[in-house]
């Protein structure tokens, strides 16, 4: 059965679904709803909000690691700046000292030096590390 426009409904539905998916993702990016989604291993941790220098984060704090999801919209965010602000937010909320940061300007993972806990090793392979960006001249994490 054809619609009045001549297009079959079965051909319209997938395109409509894709359009709605893009619309939802765009809306989430602008409104910051991505902060409600935890990365692997962080879903069981309670989200905590933080703001540093006007940049908002949703943090999930573990015993030796933390996840920081930036929820503030930023035009061309600089990894080094966002990493520094995430370190400040995590230190304030956890009481631990961040020793390394990996990820990207939207979602970062931090290794924590907490009393009585060893600092975890920095993950390799699945993240963009700060030192790689620094070597490429795209940021200074120091």
């Amino acid at each position: 059965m054809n619609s009045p426009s001549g297009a079959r409904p079965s051909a319209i539905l997938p395109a409509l679904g894709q359009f709605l998916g893009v619309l939802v993702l765009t809306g989430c990016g602008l409104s910051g709803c991505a902060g409600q989604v935890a990365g692997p291993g962080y879903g069981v941790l309670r989200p905590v909000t933080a703001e540093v220098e006007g940049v908002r984060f949703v943090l999930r704090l573990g015993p030796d690691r933390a996840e920081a999801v930036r929820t503030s919209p930023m035009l061309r965010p600089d990894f080094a700046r966002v990493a520094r602000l995430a370190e400040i937010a995590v230190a304030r909320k956890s009481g631990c000292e961040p020793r390394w940061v990996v990820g990207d300007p939207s979602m970062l993972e931090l290794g924590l030096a907490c009393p009585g806990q060893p600092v975890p090793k920095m993950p390799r392979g699945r993240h963009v590390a700060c030192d790689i960006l620094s070597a490429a001249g795209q940021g200074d994490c120091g």
Side-chain angles (χ1 to χ4, degrees):
M1 177 171 100
N2 287 337
S3 68
S5 68
R8 294 187 353 225
S10 61
I12 294 172
L13 289 178
L16 181 60
Q18 288 177 345
F19 172 75
L20 290 175
V22 168
L23 186 63
V24 167
L25 289 176
T26 302
C28 281
L30 295 175
S31 68
C33 66
Q36 303 306 315
V37 178
Y42 293 96
V44 298
L45 300 174
R46 180 178 61 89
V48 177
T49 59
E51 185 173 330
V52 178
E53 295 180 18
V55 178
R56 293 178 308 278
F57 296 95
V58 172
L59 309 175
R60 288 181 172 80
L61 307 171
D64 64 350
R65 295 172 192 257
E67 178 185 70
V69 178
R70 180 179 49 84
T71 58
S72 294
M74 296 175 80
L75 184 61
R76 298 183 60 192
D78 176 59
F79 178 82
R81 178 172 183 255
V82 174
R84 181 182 62 80
L85 298 175
E87 287 177 333
I88 293 168
V90 167
R92 287 178 182 169
K93 295 290 184 172
S94 70
C96 300
E97 180 187 341
R99 292 287 178 91
W100 51 259
V101 180
V102 295
D104 63 51
S106 297
M107 181 180 275
L108 304 108
E109 184 175 14
L110 300 90
L112 304 178
C114 299
Q117 294 282 344
V119 177
K121 291 184 180 180
M122 187 174 4
R124 298 284 181 197
R126 58 173 212 198
H127 296 281
V128 177
C130 185
D131 54 348
I132 294 172
L133 290 172
S134 294
Q138 296 180 8
D140 178 20
C141 299

